[in-house]
Amino acid sequence: MGATTTDRKSAALSTASGGSTTLPPMTKKRERPTDLREACIREALAIIDAEGVEELSLREVARRLGVSHQAPYKHFPSRDHILAEIVARAFASFARYLNEQPHSENPHADLLAMSSAYLRYAKEHPLQYRLMFGTPLPDTEVHPHMMAQARHAFSLLCEALRRRSVPGKGTGDSAASDAAVLLDALFIWSALHGLSGISSGCTLQELGMPLGVIDKAAPHMLERIGSALGDPGTPPKRA
């Protein structure tokens, strides 16, 4: 009885594979993410982290996720919309981190603890920190929620400064008092941001400073900030 077509194909496969009839494994198709919106955000963060924000596009996000290039547009109308969401989440995470620091009965100590937390966050979360303070932001009028989170983070510092006011003493003109709080907050953020920025680069390590000086920079800055602001709870010294 002659060999069937199936038998001949099996024999051909056996000969081509050196006697084995095992078929090559099929390429596994990538599964569609169950939560496409969150998957897009995670992939966008990975692109920014590896290649920079300039390389971010919804088409590249779709390609990496293995979905159609139109799929991300169901959740984000444009590349700026997904970037605004990422930045807003970074500011929200930053605010939570600052707010989670223990509060005490000493507002001056709490303010310095919050300043120290700022430096830690910048060191522990460099990508989020870079997104907040080193990335050209999308149009804030089109994406107001992004700056709402930023204002919340800044308001925590302002509130910590207001808590330093000595009970029982008049604050005078409230507008002048509010302006003073904002100026002190800008002073603190500028100092902390400056140290965080130069610490993340290579220049500081290449200046040839004695061993241990760089490690003392943060405590020294916090001490200087405390001295500059003064401790309102400390009674004035008698002449």
Side-chain angles (χ1 to χ4, degrees):
M1 194 170 175
T4 65
T5 302
T6 302
D7 291 336
R8 287 195 295 270
K9 287 182 176 179
S10 298
L13 283 170
S14 177
T15 303
S17 60
S20 172
T21 58
T22 304
L23 294 174
M26 295 181 63
T27 303
K28 187 177 181 180
K29 186 177 179 181
R30 187 169 184 176
E31 294 182 3
R32 181 185 175 89
T34 54
D35 189 337
L36 181 59
R37 189 175 191 275
E38 291 302 312
C40 286
I41 291 173
R42 287 194 299 271
E43 204 62 49
L45 266 173
I47 293 171
I48 295 170
D49 191 25
E51 303 177 28
V53 71
E54 299 80 11
E55 299 302 317
L56 175 63
S57 71
L58 290 181
R59 181 176 289 271
E60 177 62 12
V61 168
R63 187 189 70 78
R64 293 188 178 206
L65 290 175
V67 298
S68 75
H69 70 274
Q70 289 295 332
Y73 287 93
K74 296 177 182 178
H75 302 281
F76 303 100
S78 72
R79 174 255 196 197
D80 276 2
H81 282 80
I82 194 170
L83 179 58
E85 177 64 21
I86 289 171
V87 173
R89 291 187 182 198
F91 273 115
S93 170
F94 181 50
R96 282 196 303 272
Y97 191 88
L98 297 181
N99 203 34
E100 287 171 358
Q101 304 311 307
H103 290 200
S104 69
E105 297 300 319
N106 186 336
H108 185 73
D110 288 350
L111 177 62
L112 295 183
M114 180 179 290
S115 300
S116 181
Y118 180 111
L119 295 174
R120 285 199 310 276
Y121 186 90
K123 185 176 182 180
E124 295 172 3
H125 305 276
L127 175 58
Q128 284 74 14
Y129 188 82
R130 188 168 74 246
L131 283 166
M132 290 186 292
F133 299 112
T135 301
L137 298 178
D139 190 335
T140 56
E141 292 185 4
V142 178
H143 310 283
H145 75 293
M146 177 179 63
M147 297 316 295
Q149 296 294 346
R151 283 191 290 273
H152 176 54
F154 188 70
S155 72
L156 293 175
L157 176 57
C158 292
E159 181 59 30
L161 283 164
R162 291 189 183 96
R163 287 182 61 227
R164 297 174 70 254
S165 60
V166 181
K169 288 190 177 183
T171 56
D173 180 33
S174 59
S177 177
D178 287 343
V181 166
L182 290 174
L183 288 171
D184 281 343
L186 286 172
F187 159 66
I188 294 172
W189 267 40
S190 298
L192 297 173
H193 181 66
L195 181 58
S196 298
I198 62 175
S199 297
S200 63
C202 301
T203 303
L204 193 60
Q205 284 74 20
E206 300 300 327
L207 293 180
M209 294 184 182
L211 188 66
V213 169
I214 295 177
D215 294 336
K216 296 177 181 177
H220 180 74
M221 171 174 283
L222 295 174
E223 180 183 343
R224 289 296 187 180
I225 288 174
S227 298
L229 295 176
D231 185 348
T234 302
K237 295 181 180 179
R238 294 183 179 273

